[in-house]
Amino acid sequence: MKILIVIALAVLIQENHATLVIKGPTKSVVAGESVEIECLYTDSEFNISQVRFEFSYDEGSIWFEVYERSTFCALVVYRTSERLVLRLRAYSYRMSMYRCVSEAENVTAPNNASEPWALKVEFMSDLTLSKEGYTKYLGIPKELSVRPGDDVVLTCSARSSEEPSYFWNKEGSDWNLPSATMMLRKVSKADEGQYSCTAQHPLVESLSKKSSVKIIVLEEDAPWYQSTDGRLILMTSASVAALLVLLLSMTVFLCRRAKRARTIKGPIDDHSQKKPIYKSSSESLPSSCEDKHPLV
Ligand SMILES: *[C@@H]1O[C@H](CO)[C@@H](O)[C@H](O)[C@H]1NC(C)=O
Ligand SMILES: *[C@@H]1O[C@H](CO)[C@@H](O)[C@H](O)[C@H]1NC(C)=O
Ligand SMILES: *[C@@H]1O[C@H](CO)[C@@H](O)[C@H](O)[C@H]1NC(C)=O
């Protein structure tokens, strides 16, 4: 058994023996920080001058060359006599795999490429608040007017490299809710105030985002359309109505035009009678419109 392990270990060491080595930060880096990745040959028999960097968006199924002269993207590649160095600013989109590859013809596997190395960037962005029953596409306004007795459910979420911890608090009170979702049941005037949600990255203390919303509770006799939800309904129905009117007037206009064209064309063009009329062709359009919109 012991011998087997020793043999397995020896095989492993043999296979991992790559002379082209890539090195980078051993811990994950925080978005915005500068990162240095370097390649070197552990064996002086090989020359670094024909080595370049490559990166992959996934686990290394497709590799792309890192162009040394791309000043775009805040990226610098330089060489010393023994090293090839890549310096870049860490961003969330730069989370990817890197490796070094030799272009020299007389260098073969495994010396022509390093092991892949993964850049892990910790980041947090785009904290958004959403309200149950309110469209996700608009984002909720900074001031929410609600009717007394309504339930208010607000959820906050951030884009982050690790699932953040969330908490809600209310300005001027020591109320604190350790959750992404805040639920106010049957709101009354006492619930009015400025509420904030904070998202905290679990590994990096400096990565945190905060967003707040003011909740205003309307009077008992306030009409429904004064609430934020009511205003949204009103706005949506107004746009739908405007769209319908537009569609209707366009249909009427097109029908009239088509009918006029037919009455002019009719007596002159004798062949029109012999032509088959397809259901979807423009010539079948006037008759179908005529039924619905008499033009007298
Ligand atoms: C590597 O090769 C280049 C030419 O391809 C040469 O100028 C340079 O001196 C070589 N470096 C070493 C360390 O051998
Ligand atoms: C590869 O060829 C270059 C000359 O083109 C030579 O300087 C270098 O020593 C060779 N490397 C190996 C590993 O044979
Ligand atoms: C390394 O060399 C081998 C042949 O020895 C080749 O098949 C392989 O594609 C090369 N790797 C890279 C990354 O160019």
Side-chain angles (χ1 to χ4, degrees):
M1 192 63 188
K2 259 184 191 164
I3 294 171
L4 259 172
I5 293 173
V6 170
I7 292 173
L9 221 67
V11 169
L12 238 130
I13 290 168
Q14 195 70 39
E15 279 187 346
N16 278 345
H17 178 78
T19 51
L20 185 52
V21 178
I22 184 166
K23 288 179 183 170
T26 48
K27 290 189 298 175
S28 54
V29 291
V30 178
E33 282 180 354
S34 181
V35 183
E36 229 172 56
I37 308 167
E38 61 174 23
C39 286
L40 55 127
Y41 269 118
T42 52
D43 192 332
S44 59
E45 186 192 340
F46 299 96
N47 188 327
I48 200 83
S49 70
Q50 277 173 295
V51 173
R52 61 179 158 85
F53 276 105
E54 288 188 347
F55 72 97
S56 169
Y57 291 112
D58 52 22
E59 294 303 304
S61 57
I62 304 170
W63 291 95
F64 301 94
E65 183 174 349
V66 175
Y67 291 103
E68 306 197 5
R69 279 191 193 86
S70 67
T71 47
F72 170 74
C73 285
L75 179 148
V76 180
V77 179
Y78 66 88
R79 289 164 200 280
T80 66
S81 56
E82 295 117 32
R83 281 156 213 272
L84 172 66
V85 183
L86 169 62
R87 189 184 294 149
L88 51 82
R89 204 163 281 282
Y91 291 116
S92 57
Y93 59 83
R94 287 224 162 112
M95 282 169 111
S96 49
M97 305 283 272
Y98 291 83
R99 70 172 186 183
C100 309
V101 173
S102 170
E103 289 165 327
E105 276 164 15
N106 56 356
V107 180
T108 53
N111 299 319
N112 60 350
S114 72
E115 296 279 314
W117 179 84
L119 172 64
K120 178 128 182 1
V121 182
E122 304 295 358
F123 67 93
M124 182 186 285
S125 59
D126 309 333
L127 180 70
T128 53
L129 299 183
S130 57
K131 178 178 178 296
E132 194 172 272
Y134 196 80
T135 171
K136 278 185 184 144
Y137 304 106
L138 287 178
I140 59 169
K142 283 280 156 203
E143 279 188 11
L144 273 181
S145 302
V146 293
R147 288 192 298 167
D150 279 358
D151 292 343
V152 178
V153 182
L154 297 178
T155 303
C156 92
S157 71
R159 220 166 63 78
S160 174
S161 52
E162 300 279 335
E163 182 59 21
S165 49
Y166 296 97
F167 66 89
W168 281 92
N169 62 341
K170 186 181 179 186
E171 197 174 276
S173 97
D174 50 11
W175 177 81
N176 192 315
L177 178 73
S179 164
T181 301
M182 174 181 78
M183 220 177 291
L184 297 176
R185 291 237 176 270
K186 304 213 175 350
V187 291
S188 63
K189 273 283 175 195
D191 294 314
E192 269 195 350
Q194 189 83 26
Y195 291 82
S196 306
C197 171
T198 308
Q200 174 63 55
H201 194 283
L203 307 176
V204 186
E205 209 181 325
S206 62
L207 289 179
S208 97
K209 296 260 172 201
K210 187 172 173 176
S211 185
S212 44
V213 59
K214 187 174 183 182
I215 294 183
I216 297 164
V217 180
L218 297 170
E219 297 300 329
E220 281 291 345
D221 53 0
W224 64 274
Y225 52 81
Q226 278 192 359
S227 72
T228 304
D229 287 356
R231 253 177 271 156
L232 180 70
I233 294 170
L234 217 61
M235 228 165 64
T236 317
S237 15
S239 344
V240 169
L243 204 72
L244 278 178
V245 167
L246 188 76
L247 270 174
L248 204 72
S249 46
M250 262 178 67
T251 315
V252 169
F253 170 74
L254 285 176
C255 279
R256 282 193 184 186
R257 211 173 64 158
K259 193 177 182 193
R260 205 176 307 137
R262 207 163 98 129
T263 45
I264 293 167
K265 199 167 98 184
I268 307 164
D269 188 9
D270 285 337
H271 304 291
S272 65
Q273 292 299 311
K274 287 166 200 150
K275 265 200 282 180
I277 295 174
Y278 296 103
K279 210 174 176 193
S280 60
S281 80
S282 61
E283 280 177 278
S284 71
L285 201 65
S287 58
S288 70
C289 283
E290 258 171 312
D291 299 338
K292 285 180 214 147
H293 306 284
L295 298 169
V296 222

